[in-house]
Amino acid sequence: MAELITNIGFVKELAATADNMYKHGWDERNGGNISYLIPEEEVAEHIDITKVRRTIPLGFNAKELVGKYFLVTGTGKYFKNVNGDPETNLGLFRIAKDGINAELLWGYVDGGKFTSELPAHLMSHIERLKVDPENRVVMHTHPTNLLAMTYVHELDTKKFTHTLWQMSTECIVVFPDGVEVLPWMLCGTNEIGIATAEKMKLARVVVWALHGIYGAGKTLDETFGLIETVEKASEIFMKTAHLPRLNTITDSQLKELAGLFKVEVRKGILS
């Protein structure tokens, strides 16, 4: 059964995504984590959902997610190892009826558990599902240029978003809802999870200043692409911020782009 599970679509897809993120240089050592909401019918095709291997405390009450299934990267695990050994580096679990425990169905075979950032992930899933019932992915990673940008750019949501939109023609189309920005906070805590989830009500991207990024989406590809686009814009900013700017994408041009691609742009950012 274990061999079968490691070869099924959602496991292979997450493992490949983790490997890609590592190769982009975003997830050094054990940095980064991914949570993937899997419909029960997909899980039941490949595993006996009545067989709980062990119970792991969540660290908060996720009552809104009771009965939902998640495939999640493990704490202390390296993204570079996920593809080669998904059964050790990933875990598939269900949120128990009490809302405060995870029922492990597969994975974490070395006795490990889910990422320490799981509360932030689940809190973000809760809020994104209210906005978009098709949301299935929350992804946390450390894109190099975005992280660098938070050291030299004002940590203001509107100004940060505006700068990113101006860096590339595709940005306002890919993330018309903009990005939300949090100041530095202690990671791995419920407090940063609550703050991130609050921001997720407004945008699919939350920047953790001096740390990294949280992204949400319907699929792993969509979420990865969202973060990749933000990171590319950040790279352009970092390569040009110290130079005199002779050209830029104007607000009127950004509005033209939004109109052409029929995207609803976040209010209060364009003049």
Side-chain angles (χ1 to χ4, degrees), residues 102-119:
E103 296 174 334
L104 183 65
L105 304 174
W106 172 86
Y108 305 145
V109 292
D110 61 349
K113 64 176 212 174
F114 41 73
T115 171
S116 62
E117 303 287 4
L118 185 68

Side-chain angles (χ1 to χ4, degrees), residues 35-54:
S35 58
Y36 192 8
L37 173 60
I38 313 293
E40 182 176 290
E41 57 271 23
E42 286 187 44
V43 176
E45 285 180 23
H46 305 283
I47 192 170
D48 181 357
I49 61 175
T50 67
K51 184 179 180 181
V52 177
R53 294 171 180 260
R54 54 190 167 98

Side-chain angles (χ1 to χ4, degrees), residues 113-186:
K113 64 176 212 174
F114 41 73
T115 171
S116 62
E117 303 287 4
L118 185 68
H121 278 255
L122 296 183
M123 291 176 191
S124 292
H125 276 287
I126 289 169
E127 294 307 328
R128 287 310 304 172
L129 285 167
K130 293 175 184 175
V131 177
D132 179 5
E134 295 183 7
N135 190 87
R136 290 177 63 180
V137 177
V138 171
M139 191 177 288
H140 170 56
T141 186
H142 307 154
T144 306
N145 293 285
L146 176 71
L147 202 162
M149 185 174 168
T150 65
Y151 282 86
V152 299
H153 194 286
E154 290 179 79
L155 299 178
D156 174 86
T157 287
K158 291 182 178 180
K159 292 178 181 178
F160 209 95
T161 294
H162 191 266
T163 295
L164 291 174
W165 280 353
Q166 286 190 315
M167 292 302 104
S168 172
T169 298
E170 68 175 348
C171 286
I172 199 169
V173 178
V174 175
F175 53 100
D177 48 345
V179 303
E180 284 287 324
V181 183
L182 283 175
W184 186 92
M185 297 179 68
L186 187 63

Side-chain angles (χ1 to χ4, degrees), residues 178-226:
V179 303
E180 284 287 324
V181 183
L182 283 175
W184 186 92
M185 297 179 68
L186 187 63
C187 59
T189 66
N190 285 359
E191 287 72 23
I192 197 169
I194 292 167
T196 303
E198 188 66 24
K199 297 289 189 182
M200 280 283 181
K201 295 178 180 178
L202 303 171
R204 293 166 297 145
V205 171
V206 180
V207 175
W208 283 9
L210 321 182
H211 183 148
I213 192 172
Y214 258 65
K218 295 179 177 66
T219 67
L220 286 164
D221 265 356
E222 178 191 61
T223 312
F224 177 86
L226 174 65

Side-chain angles (χ1 to χ4, degrees), residues 72-128:
V72 181
T73 51
T75 185
K77 304 304 182 186
Y78 292 25
F79 271 24
K80 70 183 181 69
N81 296 332
V82 176
N83 220 8
D85 187 8
E87 195 176 11
T88 298
N89 294 284
L90 302 176
L92 177 64
F93 58 82
R94 175 177 57 226
I95 306 299
K97 291 180 180 178
D98 60 13
I100 61 174
N101 287 291
E103 296 174 334
L104 183 65
L105 304 174
W106 172 86
Y108 305 145
V109 292
D110 61 349
K113 64 176 212 174
F114 41 73
T115 171
S116 62
E117 303 287 4
L118 185 68
H121 278 255
L122 296 183
M123 291 176 191
S124 292
H125 276 287
I126 289 169
E127 294 307 328
R128 287 310 304 172

